[in-house]
Amino acid sequence: MIEKVSKRDGRFVPFDSERISNAIYKAASAVGGTDRNIAAALSIKVCRKLTDRYGVYGSVSVEEIQDEVEKVLIESGHAKTAKAYILYRSQRAQMRDIKEAFEGLESIVEEYLGGSDWRVSE
């Protein structure tokens, strides 16, 4: 089993296969699925493929895990669940982009209001 996951912010956290199972179940629930056992079985497939690719003591990024989840869902005949998962993933990426844009804007406003921005003295 993979040991570590590389988060988007650069941190490493312990690998938790239950998170994969939960994500698959939530995507399945969004399209009417109700069987946690199927989500767990698909999660096991994902974990096996990741272990085959990255080794037992390796690390893997969040993106690589998500890519593998998509592949397993599609290959296993769960296209509707895969679509829900892909859409959710896309929405989360958009939310991260918006958050980053606002964080940048917030620092500009703080600099301006604090008088440290060159435009204040012009």
Side-chain angles (χ1 to χ4, degrees):
M1 188 68 60
I2 302 291
E3 282 194 352
K4 300 281 182 186
V5 174
S6 171
K7 303 289 276 184
R8 287 182 181 86
D9 64 5
R11 291 179 299 126
F12 284 89
V13 297
F15 181 83
D16 181 3
S17 63
E18 189 65 27
R19 291 182 62 115
I20 296 170
S21 183
N22 288 339
I24 292 171
Y25 181 73
K26 286 178 185 177
S29 294
V31 294
T34 58
D35 193 341
R36 276 199 175 272
N37 292 328
I38 293 173
L42 291 168
S43 175
I44 290 168
K45 281 185 180 182
V46 170
C47 291
R48 283 184 185 147
K49 288 184 177 246
L50 291 170
T51 301
D52 288 348
R53 184 171 300 132
Y54 299 102
V56 177
Y57 301 107
S59 65
V60 62
S61 72
V62 170
E63 292 290 326
E64 291 165 330
I65 293 171
Q66 292 176 333
D67 290 347
E68 196 60 49
V69 169
E70 288 179 16
K71 289 177 196 170
V72 167
L73 287 171
I74 292 167
E75 290 169 359
S76 301
H78 297 279
K80 287 170 95 175
T81 301
K83 184 175 182 180
Y85 185 84
I86 292 165
L87 289 173
Y88 174 77
R89 190 176 172 190
S90 174
Q91 289 171 343
R92 293 289 298 161
Q94 290 173 350
M95 292 302 292
R96 280 190 301 278
D97 291 344
I98 290 169
K99 183 180 175 187
E100 285 179 22
F102 276 112
E103 287 171 353
L105 180 61
E106 182 180 14
S107 71
I108 291 170
V109 171
E110 285 176 8
E111 287 174 7
Y112 185 79
L113 294 176
S116 62
D117 188 299
W118 64 270
R119 292 170 283 209
V120 173
S121 53
E122 285 298 316

